[in-house]
Every structure is written in structure tokens, then in C-alpha cells.
Amino acid sequence: MMQIFDISGPMKPKNENESLFPSLSYKERLMGFAFCSVLGYFIQILSFGSFIGILGGSPNKFALTYSLGNILALFGTAFLIGFKKQFENMIDKERKMTSIIFASSLVMIFLSVYLFKSKLLVLIFLVIEFCSYTWYVASYIPFARDCIKGCLKNIIKQ
């Protein structure tokens, strides 16, 4: 028998403290998730305003704003499922390597900008961050990884 989705919210976590904000209602957590996600993606889009800096040899502004947008968008899930569940999802067999690469590239971008002051490293880690984030997000969408693989195979064939 098919179950009907209840818009009032998902089942309560086993332990109420699993959510980052257990005192908020489901609707309030959903609004927090939407706000962080939309703001994060908006910052990512705005970062492309400084994309021309990459061509001019100054990728730092773009890399930092793009990375902060990614972090904020991921933080939004803490409103819904909490950091613990997000971490469990990230170390899941299917996402573990992608998550490690993504988190490492985020750290390395900030180190490359502020500590190493290397524009080349910033660019390298920016490409790695973009690819790993795309692959990570695709792991949540059925058949998305297969679609990406198929597209890349077709591009390489040509």
C-alpha cells in the first residue's frame, strides 16, 4: 500500500537532540534550511562577478566567496537533520571519498589564499572543490552520477 507524504513534517528523530535546533518546529527548520541554502547558492552566483579576476591572475576573491557559499549551503542541512546525521551521510560508503576530497579542498583553498599565497594552488583546489561538490550533490539525486559519467564519456569520445 502506498504511503502519502505528510507535509506537516517528517518522522521525529529517535533522539530529539539529533537535530541542530530541536526546539524549532519543522516549519521553522525548513525555513532555516531554505534561507541558508538560497543564501549560499546566491553567494556562489555572486562570486561569478569576480570570476574575471581568475583570468587577470587574481582568483582569491572568487575562490573565497564561492567556498563560503558552499559552506553556507551545506550548513542549511543542519536545520533539518543536524550535524551528526549530515556527517553520517558524508561518511557513508557512497560519499566518503567525495566528502574527504571536498572538505580537504575547502581547507586547502583557505590555506592557499592566506598561508601559501599561491594563486596556482587556489585555482587547482577551486577546480577540485567544484568537481567534488558536484559529485557529492549528485550522489543524492537518483541516476545523476550515471548521467554525469555518460556525458563525460561522450565528451571524451569526441
Side-chain angles (χ1 to χ4, degrees):
M1 181 175 221
M2 189 170 101
Q3 281 187 315
I4 297 176
F5 179 72
D6 183 6
I7 192 98
S8 65
M11 293 175 39
K12 298 271 187 207
K14 292 177 190 172
N15 177 357
E16 194 66 33
N17 290 330
E18 287 180 16
S19 171
L20 180 61
F21 303 103
S23 63
L24 297 179
S25 70
Y26 178 71
K27 184 178 179 181
E28 291 168 330
R29 290 194 326 247
L30 193 59
M31 288 172 38
F33 164 75
F35 177 77
C36 283
S37 297
V38 168
L39 184 61
Y41 294 130
F42 182 69
I43 290 171
Q44 287 176 346
I45 291 169
L46 285 180
S47 71
F48 283 94
S50 58
F51 187 75
I52 196 77
I54 291 176
L55 301 175
S58 181
N60 295 356
K61 186 176 179 184
F62 172 77
L64 292 175
T65 53
Y66 182 78
S67 298
L68 288 173
N70 274 337
I71 292 167
L72 189 57
L74 284 175
F75 181 75
T77 58
F79 277 96
L80 292 179
I81 62 174
F83 284 117
K84 180 181 177 186
K85 183 66 177 168
Q86 177 69 20
F87 183 73
E88 288 171 358
N89 288 344
M90 290 178 80
I91 61 170
D92 179 65
K93 180 183 172 189
E94 184 179 0
R95 299 179 186 99
K96 188 175 189 175
M97 187 55 66
T98 305
S99 299
I100 291 170
I101 293 169
F102 175 69
S104 299
S105 66
L106 281 172
V107 170
M108 291 308 297
I109 282 178
F110 287 100
L111 290 175
S112 297
V113 169
Y114 294 113
L115 185 64
F116 306 135
K117 299 183 187 322
S118 171
K119 295 173 185 175
L120 179 61
L121 285 178
V122 170
L123 284 173
I124 290 169
F125 290 118
L126 184 60
V127 169
I128 293 170
E129 176 189 347
F130 177 79
C131 293
S132 62
Y133 183 71
T134 301
W135 197 246
Y136 175 78
V137 171
S139 72
Y140 286 97
I141 303 168
F143 307 109
R145 285 184 167 184
D146 293 333
C147 182
I148 292 170
K149 287 179 192 176
C151 290
L152 291 175
K153 284 179 184 177
N154 285 335
I155 291 170
I156 292 171
K157 280 182 185 179
Q158 294 175 355

Short mmCIF file of all heavy atoms in Angstrom, two decimals, residues 5-13 16 19 21-34 79-81:
data_model
loop_
_atom_site.label_atom_id
_atom_site.label_comp_id
_atom_site.label_asym_id
_atom_site.label_seq_id
_atom_site.Cartn_x
_atom_site.Cartn_y
_atom_site.Cartn_z
N PHE A 5 2.71 11.29 1.60
CA PHE A 5 3.65 12.17 2.30
C PHE A 5 2.87 13.19 3.12
O PHE A 5 1.94 13.82 2.64
CB PHE A 5 4.55 12.89 1.30
CG PHE A 5 5.52 13.83 1.93
CD1 PHE A 5 6.61 13.36 2.64
CD2 PHE A 5 5.34 15.21 1.84
CE1 PHE A 5 7.49 14.22 3.23
CE2 PHE A 5 6.22 16.08 2.42
CZ PHE A 5 7.32 15.58 3.13
N ASP A 6 3.27 13.34 4.36
CA ASP A 6 2.64 14.30 5.26
C ASP A 6 3.44 15.60 5.25
O ASP A 6 4.58 15.63 5.66
CB ASP A 6 2.58 13.72 6.67
CG ASP A 6 1.86 14.64 7.64
OD1 ASP A 6 1.31 15.67 7.21
OD2 ASP A 6 1.85 14.31 8.85
N ILE A 7 2.84 16.68 4.76
CA ILE A 7 3.54 17.96 4.62
C ILE A 7 3.86 18.59 5.97
O ILE A 7 4.70 19.47 6.07
CB ILE A 7 2.73 18.94 3.73
CG1 ILE A 7 3.56 20.14 3.32
CG2 ILE A 7 1.51 19.44 4.44
CD1 ILE A 7 4.12 20.02 1.99
N SER A 8 3.23 18.12 7.03
CA SER A 8 3.48 18.73 8.34
C SER A 8 4.87 18.41 8.87
O SER A 8 5.32 19.04 9.80
CB SER A 8 2.43 18.27 9.35
OG SER A 8 2.55 16.89 9.58
N GLY A 9 5.55 17.45 8.27
CA GLY A 9 6.92 17.19 8.68
C GLY A 9 7.25 15.73 8.68
O GLY A 9 6.38 14.87 8.64
N PRO A 10 8.55 15.44 8.71
CA PRO A 10 9.00 14.05 8.71
C PRO A 10 8.82 13.44 10.09
O PRO A 10 8.47 14.12 11.05
CB PRO A 10 10.48 14.17 8.35
CG PRO A 10 10.87 15.48 8.93
CD PRO A 10 9.65 16.37 8.75
N MET A 11 9.08 12.16 10.15
CA MET A 11 9.03 11.49 11.45
C MET A 11 10.06 12.12 12.38
O MET A 11 11.10 12.58 11.93
CB MET A 11 9.34 10.00 11.28
CG MET A 11 8.29 9.25 10.52
SD MET A 11 8.71 7.54 10.17
CE MET A 11 9.52 7.00 11.64
N LYS A 12 9.76 12.16 13.65
CA LYS A 12 10.68 12.73 14.63
C LYS A 12 11.93 11.86 14.72
O LYS A 12 11.84 10.65 14.62
CB LYS A 12 10.02 12.80 16.01
CG LYS A 12 8.80 13.67 16.04
CD LYS A 12 9.18 15.07 16.36
CE LYS A 12 7.92 15.90 16.56
NZ LYS A 12 8.09 17.25 16.27
N PRO A 13 13.11 12.48 14.90
CA PRO A 13 14.31 11.68 15.11
C PRO A 13 14.16 10.85 16.37
O PRO A 13 13.42 11.20 17.29
CB PRO A 13 15.42 12.73 15.29
CG PRO A 13 14.84 14.02 14.85
CD PRO A 13 13.36 13.91 14.93
N GLU A 16 15.60 13.41 20.12
CA GLU A 16 15.21 14.77 19.73
C GLU A 16 16.41 15.69 19.55
O GLU A 16 16.37 16.64 18.80
CB GLU A 16 14.25 15.34 20.78
CG GLU A 16 13.52 16.58 20.33
CD GLU A 16 12.55 16.35 19.19
OE1 GLU A 16 11.96 15.27 19.10
OE2 GLU A 16 12.39 17.26 18.36
N SER A 19 18.69 16.80 15.90
CA SER A 19 18.55 17.99 15.10
C SER A 19 19.37 19.11 15.72
O SER A 19 19.51 19.18 16.94
CB SER A 19 17.08 18.41 15.03
OG SER A 19 16.96 19.66 14.42
N PHE A 21 18.64 22.22 15.85
CA PHE A 21 17.72 23.13 16.53
C PHE A 21 16.45 22.37 16.94
O PHE A 21 15.40 22.57 16.34
CB PHE A 21 17.38 24.31 15.63
CG PHE A 21 18.58 25.07 15.16
CD1 PHE A 21 19.07 24.90 13.87
CD2 PHE A 21 19.23 25.93 16.02
CE1 PHE A 21 20.19 25.59 13.45
CE2 PHE A 21 20.35 26.63 15.59
CZ PHE A 21 20.84 26.46 14.31
N PRO A 22 16.54 21.53 17.97
CA PRO A 22 15.38 20.70 18.32
C PRO A 22 14.18 21.49 18.82
O PRO A 22 13.06 21.01 18.76
CB PRO A 22 15.92 19.76 19.41
CG PRO A 22 17.10 20.46 19.96
CD PRO A 22 17.67 21.29 18.84
N SER A 23 14.38 22.70 19.31
CA SER A 23 13.25 23.47 19.83
C SER A 23 12.44 24.14 18.72
O SER A 23 11.33 24.59 18.96
CB SER A 23 13.75 24.54 20.81
OG SER A 23 14.59 25.46 20.14
N LEU A 24 12.99 24.19 17.50
CA LEU A 24 12.26 24.79 16.39
C LEU A 24 11.25 23.80 15.82
O LEU A 24 11.48 22.59 15.80
CB LEU A 24 13.22 25.22 15.28
CG LEU A 24 14.25 26.29 15.62
CD1 LEU A 24 15.13 26.56 14.42
CD2 LEU A 24 13.57 27.56 16.08
N SER A 25 10.14 24.31 15.33
CA SER A 25 9.16 23.45 14.67
C SER A 25 9.73 23.02 13.32
O SER A 25 10.71 23.59 12.82
CB SER A 25 7.86 24.21 14.46
OG SER A 25 8.02 25.22 13.47
N TYR A 26 9.09 22.04 12.72
CA TYR A 26 9.54 21.57 11.41
C TYR A 26 9.49 22.70 10.39
O TYR A 26 10.40 22.87 9.58
CB TYR A 26 8.70 20.38 10.95
CG TYR A 26 9.10 19.90 9.58
CD1 TYR A 26 10.30 19.23 9.38
CD2 TYR A 26 8.29 20.14 8.48
CE1 TYR A 26 10.68 18.80 8.12
CE2 TYR A 26 8.66 19.72 7.22
CZ TYR A 26 9.86 19.05 7.05
OH TYR A 26 10.24 18.64 5.81
N LYS A 27 8.43 23.49 10.44
CA LYS A 27 8.28 24.61 9.50
C LYS A 27 9.41 25.62 9.68
O LYS A 27 9.96 26.12 8.70
CB LYS A 27 6.92 25.28 9.70
CG LYS A 27 6.63 26.38 8.72
CD LYS A 27 5.25 26.97 8.94
CE LYS A 27 4.98 28.10 7.97
NZ LYS A 27 3.66 28.71 8.20
N GLU A 28 9.79 25.92 10.92
CA GLU A 28 10.88 26.86 11.19
C GLU A 28 12.23 26.29 10.72
O GLU A 28 13.05 27.02 10.16
CB GLU A 28 10.94 27.19 12.68
CG GLU A 28 9.76 28.01 13.16
CD GLU A 28 9.67 28.09 14.67
OE1 GLU A 28 10.11 27.14 15.37
OE2 GLU A 28 9.15 29.11 15.16
N ARG A 29 12.43 25.00 10.94
CA ARG A 29 13.68 24.37 10.46
C ARG A 29 13.74 24.36 8.94
O ARG A 29 14.79 24.57 8.34
CB ARG A 29 13.82 22.96 11.03
CG ARG A 29 14.08 22.93 12.52
CD ARG A 29 14.54 21.59 13.03
NE ARG A 29 13.96 20.47 12.34
CZ ARG A 29 13.13 19.60 12.88
NH1 ARG A 29 12.75 19.72 14.13
NH2 ARG A 29 12.66 18.60 12.18
N LEU A 30 12.59 24.13 8.32
CA LEU A 30 12.52 24.15 6.86
C LEU A 30 12.84 25.54 6.33
O LEU A 30 13.55 25.69 5.33
CB LEU A 30 11.14 23.69 6.39
CG LEU A 30 10.97 23.37 4.92
CD1 LEU A 30 11.93 22.25 4.52
CD2 LEU A 30 9.55 22.96 4.63
N MET A 31 12.35 26.57 7.03
CA MET A 31 12.65 27.95 6.63
C MET A 31 14.14 28.24 6.81
O MET A 31 14.76 28.91 5.97
CB MET A 31 11.80 28.93 7.43
CG MET A 31 10.34 28.91 7.02
SD MET A 31 9.20 29.86 8.06
CE MET A 31 10.08 31.30 8.51
N GLY A 32 14.75 27.77 7.89
CA GLY A 32 16.19 27.94 8.11
C GLY A 32 17.00 27.25 7.04
O GLY A 32 17.98 27.79 6.52
N PHE A 33 16.57 26.03 6.68
CA PHE A 33 17.24 25.30 5.61
C PHE A 33 17.15 26.07 4.30
O PHE A 33 18.15 26.26 3.60
CB PHE A 33 16.60 23.91 5.45
CG PHE A 33 16.93 23.23 4.16
CD1 PHE A 33 18.18 22.68 3.97
CD2 PHE A 33 16.01 23.15 3.14
CE1 PHE A 33 18.50 22.05 2.77
CE2 PHE A 33 16.31 22.53 1.95
CZ PHE A 33 17.57 21.98 1.76
N ALA A 34 15.94 26.54 3.97
CA ALA A 34 15.75 27.27 2.72
C ALA A 34 16.57 28.56 2.72
O ALA A 34 17.22 28.88 1.71
CB ALA A 34 14.27 27.59 2.52
N PHE A 79 19.80 22.46 9.80
CA PHE A 79 18.48 22.84 10.29
C PHE A 79 17.51 21.67 10.21
O PHE A 79 16.62 21.54 11.03
CB PHE A 79 17.91 24.01 9.49
CG PHE A 79 18.40 25.34 9.95
CD1 PHE A 79 19.48 25.95 9.33
CD2 PHE A 79 17.79 26.00 11.00
CE1 PHE A 79 19.94 27.18 9.75
CE2 PHE A 79 18.23 27.23 11.43
CZ PHE A 79 19.32 27.82 10.81
N LEU A 80 17.68 20.84 9.21
CA LEU A 80 16.74 19.73 9.02
C LEU A 80 17.18 18.46 9.74
O LEU A 80 16.38 17.85 10.45
CB LEU A 80 16.57 19.43 7.53
CG LEU A 80 15.86 20.48 6.71
CD1 LEU A 80 15.78 20.04 5.27
CD2 LEU A 80 14.48 20.74 7.26
N ILE A 81 18.42 18.07 9.54
CA ILE A 81 18.83 16.76 10.07
C ILE A 81 19.91 16.83 11.12
O ILE A 81 20.18 15.84 11.78
CB ILE A 81 19.31 15.82 8.92
CG1 ILE A 81 20.52 16.40 8.20
CG2 ILE A 81 18.16 15.54 7.97
CD1 ILE A 81 21.12 15.47 7.16
#
